[in-house]
């Protein structure tokens, strides 16, 4: 992303008169009988945040549709977006603040008023600080849209032990690799220039199952335009079903394939020499480095024929910068994830596609003023929640703040909080006790590996506060539970979206009043903050006032933006290198050298490989299969399984097993089995899917099922959870990414269940 200053923004805006004005032309406000109206917002069933229009009749939400004017939905929504209604009206929702009356994990609660629950929580959190040496003794984990203000509160509180699962268990390795190589993160909306791409290679990256609205539209658009597609996946994914080539790679060997592709492109001199001379450093070192990684060498490792490896490399190179290998998002696979992603980015650089048509564009962020708060104690350390990439710098903490407990600097170099290591610290009390936890919008028993250790960590706490919308299992372990509203019942922060042609800002407001005795996340964060003595970080009285202050910087107000829900800033767009060079501006590769760093001096100086190497991953023992997992297009993570509409489309997950393996093991299609991992951890019962669409050395399931709480009626014991089988992970020494593909399972025929 490109961040603009206020001065740059106004300079650009005056050049394009009227670009700031809100276009109200398309929104008909016709009211049907009894209708209360239609409001703009943006979806929060996943973080793609598509613009929506919500129709309310007699105070009840009856329909959610995509906003045609919104570049992230273009008038369309996925199934989850439409089923937001059933998140709002889910009868299982948390309805009142609850205070525990039993032991942690017993699930016994009494109802409380907001005042009592907040006073009690603040008192407990302050006591943790007093007893255990300061704010570092409380960890803050936040994800989702509520994360914004809880992240703000966490930063104001001043604990470096704050983060969200989207770093170490998701994109961390990718973002760090991209920053090391291009000096910029990939960012949320995948800046691939789909409309000009002619050759696409997907590695993992199961687009179509992993469903991001406009990304799927753009991907299909590219195929409709005639782009060729190669999919590298041990499983015949939905994307593979659309591909010209399916390369069923042996799991864990992608770096070998990427190195062999580089070998072919370099040895046959098919790279973009001019581009590399001008914009990159370290090509000669790479040339020497990959000379030994021949297609024949890679064929033995990857189990993809050498001829196919050569053919795809030549095809790719034929299209030059119109060929692209988009990174996947969930890269925490094997513990060598940053190097694998570096290999992928370097291969893209050889094609000369970064900042060029058909490759990656520079995604410019729209401009709107940030709210000016007093500086937080940890501003320099990037304290706060959320997730994402994390910086490349070492953490600069004030003298009186203890460092993170997750081992940054010792176990890994860069990036945001590594939660699994946080839970290890909580469970062991080392390097220092962390005795308080605030979790908002993060599923501790479905997103974090080694759940038994997470539970042990929770038992060690003095105080655990949870802010959620559903009585998920981990929620029912908290000492205090605060019921958030859903996104349809609350204001949200302005969403500033980097985009190729139309950077824009979207707006969220409550479409109906909060149901039950729930309160919006921003209100909860503010009330808690005030009770923790952090009033100065919440100077505004209500969220409208906060939003108006920010919008004022654009000459707008809540009253105006709600008419359209979106402000577009096309004048900010600068997608290609040529857009910089034609203006005599520096191309923004923000690395120390100002160029694409094929060879990384930073890694070398840290004693790590400056160029990516292939490292062998552990093989499954005899009788075991590598456990792979992914997404269903109709569910988000572990949070939508109790949604009435979505559970009708997909009620349980299945375990995919190769037909020959099934025959050998006597497994029948549709029968229920349990899985047991290398450490003896067992899953709930799960249906067998016998298929030719997967290799014989691995099995596959969709993440997010296997909930063991009767409080979530529709999802109780439906399918099995991958996390129950992920008792170990491999830590990436660069980004702290926690590779989960290192767990192996075998089939247990009698079925079974574990908690
Ligand atoms: N509907 C829906 N969409 C989602 C989400 C959701 O919950 N629901 N979650 C979103 C989030 S946060 C993320 S991070 C993304 C995740 O989506 P992706 O980034 O696409 O995730 P991956 O792990 O790359 O994709 C899993 C694929 O990788 C394959 N795979 C497994 N091991 C290997 C290997 O060793 N090599 C290769 N080449 N392939 C392998 C699997 O068979 C599977 O097809 O999805 C996002 N989109
Ligand atoms: N085993 C395994 N682990 C994984 C993954 C995997 O595929 N397999 N995927 C990894 C990836 S890619 C990611 S991004 C992370 C995702 O990790 P999480 O963000 O922990 O994912 P969810 O399972 O969606 O949990 C979200 C929680 O937020 C709650 N929630 C939903 N809406 C709201 C709201 O409006 N307000 C509040 N306060 N709470 C809300 C839900 O009830 C749920 O408890 O998990 C990672 N961990
Ligand atoms: S992709 Fe689907 S779930 Fe995600 S924001 Fe868009 S409509 Fe909502
Ligand atoms: Mo993710």
């Amino acid at each position: 992303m490109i961040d603009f200053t206020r001065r740059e923004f106004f300079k650009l805006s005056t050049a394009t008169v009227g670009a700031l004005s809100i276009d109200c032309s398309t929104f008909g406000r016709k009211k049907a009988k009894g209708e209360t109206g239609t409001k703009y917002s943006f979806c929060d069933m996943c973080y793609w945040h598509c613009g929506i229009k919500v129709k309310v009749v007699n105070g009840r939400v009856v329909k959610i549709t995509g906003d045609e004017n919104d570049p992230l939905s273009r008038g369309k929504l996925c199934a989850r977006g439409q089923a937001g209604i059933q998140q709002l009206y889910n009868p299982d929702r948390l309805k009142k603040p609850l205070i525990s009356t039993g032991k942690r994990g017993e699930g016994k609660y009494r109802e409380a008023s907001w005042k009592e629950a907040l006073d009690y929580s603040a008192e407990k959190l302050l006591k943790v600080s007093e007893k255990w040496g300061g704010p570092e003794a409380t960890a803050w984990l936040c994800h989702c849209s509520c994360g914004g203000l809880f992240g703000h509160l966490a930063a104001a509180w001043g604990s470096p032990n704050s983060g969200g699962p989207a770093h170490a268990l998701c994109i961390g390795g990718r973002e760090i690799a991209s920053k090391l190589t291009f000096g910029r993160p990939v960012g949320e909306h995948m800046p691939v220039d789909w409309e000009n791409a002619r050759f696409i290679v997907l590695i993992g990256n199961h687009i179509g199952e992993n469903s991001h609205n406009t990304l799927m539209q753009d991907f299909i658009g590219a195929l409709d335009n005639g782009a060729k597609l190669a999919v590298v996946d041990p499983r015949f994914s939905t994307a593979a079903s659309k591909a010209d080539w399916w390369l069923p790679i042996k799991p864990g060997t992608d770096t070998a394939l990427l190195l062999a592709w580089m070998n072919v492109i370099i040895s046959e001199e098919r790279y973009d020499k001019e581009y590399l001379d001008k914009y990159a450093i370290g090509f000669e070192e790479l040339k020497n480095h990959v000379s030994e990684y021949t297609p024949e060498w890679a064929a033995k490792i990857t189990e993809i024929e050498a001829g196919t490896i050569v053919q795809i490399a030549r095809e790719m190179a034929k299209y030059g910068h119109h060929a692209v290998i988009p990174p996947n998002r969930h890269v925490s696979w094997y513990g060598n994830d940053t190097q694998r992603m570096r290999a992928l980015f370097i291969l893209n650089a050889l094609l000369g596609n970064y900042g060029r048509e058909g490759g990656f564009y520079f995604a410019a962020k729209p401009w709107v003023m940030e709210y000016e708060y007093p500086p937080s104690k940890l501003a320099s350390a990037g304290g706060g929640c959320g997730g994402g990439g994390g910086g490349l710098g070492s953490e600069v903490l004030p003298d009186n703040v203890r460092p993170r407990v997750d081992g940054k600097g010792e176990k890994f170099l860069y990036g945001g909080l590594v939660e699994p290591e946080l839970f290890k610290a909580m469970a062991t009390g080392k390097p220092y006790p962390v005795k308080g936890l605030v979790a908002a919008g993060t599923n501790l028993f479905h997103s974090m590996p080694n759940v038994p250790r997470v539970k042990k960590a929770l038992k060690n706490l003095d105080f655990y506060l949870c802010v959620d919308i559903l009585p998920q299992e981990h929620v029912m372990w908290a000492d205090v539970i605060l019921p958030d509203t859903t996104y349809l019942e609350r204001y949200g922060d302005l969403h500033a979206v980097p985009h190729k042609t139309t950077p824009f800002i979207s707006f969220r407001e409550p479409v109906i009043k909060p149901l039950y005795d729930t309160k919006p996340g921003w209100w909860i964060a503010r009330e808690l903050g005030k009770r923790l003595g952090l009033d100065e970080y919440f100077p505004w009285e209500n969220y409208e006032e906060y939003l108006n202050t920010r919008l004022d910087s654009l000459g707008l107000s809540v009253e105006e933006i709600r008419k359209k829900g979106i402000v577009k800033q096309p004048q900010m767009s600068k997608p290609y290198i040529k857009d910089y060079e034609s203006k005599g501006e520096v191309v923004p590769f923000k690395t120390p050298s100002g160029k694409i760093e094929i060879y990384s001096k930073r890694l070398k100086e840290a004693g790590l490989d400056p160029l990516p190497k292939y490292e062998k991953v552990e093989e499954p023992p005899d009788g075991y299969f590598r456990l792979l997992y992914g997404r269903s297009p109709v569910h988000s993570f572990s949070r939508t399984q109790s949604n009435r509409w979505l559970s009708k489309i997909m009620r349980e997950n299945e375990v995919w097993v190769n037909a020959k393996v099934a025959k050998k093991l006597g497994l029948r299609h549709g029968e229920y089995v349990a899985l047991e991992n290398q450490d003896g951890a067992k899953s709930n019962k799960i249906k067998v899917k016998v298929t030719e669409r997967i290799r014989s050395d691995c099995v596959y399931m969709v993440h997010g099922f296997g909930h063991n709480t009767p409080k979530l009626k529709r999802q109780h014991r439906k399918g099995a959870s991958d996390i129950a089988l992920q008792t170990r992970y491999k830590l990436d020494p660069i980004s702290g990414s926690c590779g989960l593909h290192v767990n192996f399972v075998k089939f247990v025929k009698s079925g079974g269940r574990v908690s």
Side-chain angles (χ1 to χ4, degrees), residues 1-3 47-48 72 166 170-179 182-192 212 215 326-331 345 354 360-365 387-390 495-499:
M1 276 173 294
I2 301 159
D3 288 308
Y47 50 76
W48 204 252
L72 284 180
C170 179
I171 55 175
R174 174 184 95 170
E175 299 302 280
I176 298 287
S178 183
K179 286 181 199 168
F182 299 119
R184 26 189 335 104
V186 175
E188 200 78 306
H189 293 102
M190 177 79 81
V192 167
H212 294 136
L215 190 142
N328 64 325
R329 185 180 167 93
H330 173 60
V331 301
F345 290 129
Y354 203 104
F360 296 88
Y361 59 83
F362 293 106
K365 219 175 165 185
H495 188 222
V497 186
H499 193 266

Side-chain angles (χ1 to χ4, degrees), residues 224-292:
D224 282 348
N225 276 344
K228 295 253 187 314
L229 174 67
V231 171
V232 182
D233 197 313
R235 186 179 65 95
F236 190 74
S237 59
T238 302
S241 73
K242 314 251 173 286
D244 301 275
W245 292 269
W246 172 42
L247 279 54
I249 194 166
K250 179 170 171 176
T253 66
D254 298 86
T255 310
L257 176 66
L258 290 161
L259 290 166
W261 276 339
M262 292 189 225
N263 171 294
V264 177
I265 290 174
I266 293 177
S267 64
E268 297 186 0
E269 298 195 6
R270 293 173 190 270
Y271 51 92
D272 191 330
K273 187 166 180 319
E274 206 181 309
Y275 178 92
L276 293 172
D277 282 349
K278 204 161 168 196
Y279 304 113
I281 56 162
F283 175 74
E284 285 306 319
E285 287 91 338
L286 178 73
K287 189 174 169 181
N288 289 335
H289 176 71
V290 298
S291 61
E292 62 185 293

Side-chain angles (χ1 to χ4, degrees), residues 174-469:
R174 174 184 95 170
E175 299 302 280
I176 298 287
S178 183
K179 286 181 199 168
L180 283 168
T181 314
F182 299 119
R184 26 189 335 104
V186 175
E188 200 78 306
H189 293 102
M190 177 79 81
V192 167
D193 193 16
W194 298 102
E195 63 185 315
N196 295 306
R198 293 291 168 266
F199 194 91
I200 300 162
V201 181
L202 296 182
I203 300 187
N205 208 345
H206 58 330
I207 298 175
E209 289 158 290
N210 139 16
S211 52
H212 294 136
N213 188 352
T214 39
L215 190 142
M216 291 189 294
Q217 295 181 37
D218 290 339
F219 173 63
I220 291 299
L223 300 186
D224 282 348
N225 276 344
K228 295 253 187 314
L229 174 67
V231 171
V232 182
D233 197 313
R235 186 179 65 95
F236 190 74
S237 59
T238 302
S241 73
K242 314 251 173 286
D244 301 275
W245 292 269
W246 172 42
L247 279 54
I249 194 166
K250 179 170 171 176
T253 66
D254 298 86
T255 310
L257 176 66
L258 290 161
L259 290 166
W261 276 339
M262 292 189 225
N263 171 294
V264 177
I265 290 174
I266 293 177
S267 64
E268 297 186 0
E269 298 195 6
R270 293 173 190 270
Y271 51 92
D272 191 330
K273 187 166 180 319
E274 206 181 309
Y275 178 92
L276 293 172
D277 282 349
K278 204 161 168 196
Y279 304 113
I281 56 162
F283 175 74
E284 285 306 319
E285 287 91 338
L286 178 73
K287 189 174 169 181
N288 289 335
H289 176 71
V290 298
S291 61
E292 62 185 293
Y293 298 127
T294 61
E296 292 71 27
W297 164 82
K300 283 191 213 119
I301 295 170
T302 59
E303 299 182 5
I304 297 168
E305 283 179 14
T308 311
I309 298 177
V310 174
Q311 189 197 6
I312 304 276
R314 288 181 184 159
E315 284 284 333
M316 242 187 270
K318 190 169 94 193
Y319 291 91
H321 61 83
H322 292 276
V324 63
I325 309 106
N328 64 325
R329 185 180 167 93
H330 173 60
V331 301
S332 46
W333 285 1
Y334 298 97
N336 55 6
D337 306 307
T338 309
Q339 292 289 16
R340 186 180 72 253
M341 296 320 283
R342 282 255 305 144
L344 180 140
F345 290 129
I346 294 169
L347 176 60
N348 277 292
L350 292 183
L351 299 166
N353 72 9
Y354 203 104
R356 309 271 295 282
E357 292 89 340
F360 296 88
Y361 59 83
F362 293 106
K365 219 175 165 185
W367 188 82
V368 58
M369 201 184 72
E370 294 298 332
Y371 196 93
E372 279 174 36
Y373 290 114
S376 101
K377 257 213 291 191
L378 299 181
S380 60
C385 286
L392 293 191
S394 55
E395 218 126 286
V396 189
L397 292 173
D399 288 346
N400 56 348
V401 176
R402 287 170 287 176
R404 272 154 57 170
V405 292
D406 61 356
K408 182 175 173 186
E410 289 161 42
K411 297 180 195 165
F412 59 95
L413 263 187
Y414 300 126
L417 187 76
V418 175
E419 286 88 345
E421 292 294 307
L422 165 75
F423 282 107
K424 184 176 179 182
M426 280 180 178
T428 59
K430 287 179 186 145
Y432 58 83
V434 173
K435 292 288 188 177
L437 173 66
V438 182
T442 299
N443 196 328
L444 305 184
F445 294 173
H446 278 266
S447 318
M448 307 288 161
N450 200 346
V451 177
R453 191 171 76 190
V454 174
K455 288 183 175 170
K456 186 171 171 209
L458 295 186
K459 282 189 178 155
N460 271 354
L461 293 174
D462 284 2
F463 183 65
Y464 167 25
L465 169 66
C466 207
V467 185
D468 209 291
I469 56 169

Side-chain angles (χ1 to χ4, degrees), residues 491-503:
Y491 279 108
D493 205 349
L494 299 173
H495 188 222
V497 186
H499 193 266
K500 182 179 154 193
T501 53
T502 325

Side-chain angles (χ1 to χ4, degrees), residues 152 252 454 495 539 565 579 703:
H152 170 66
V454 174
H495 188 222
D579 298 316
H703 164 69

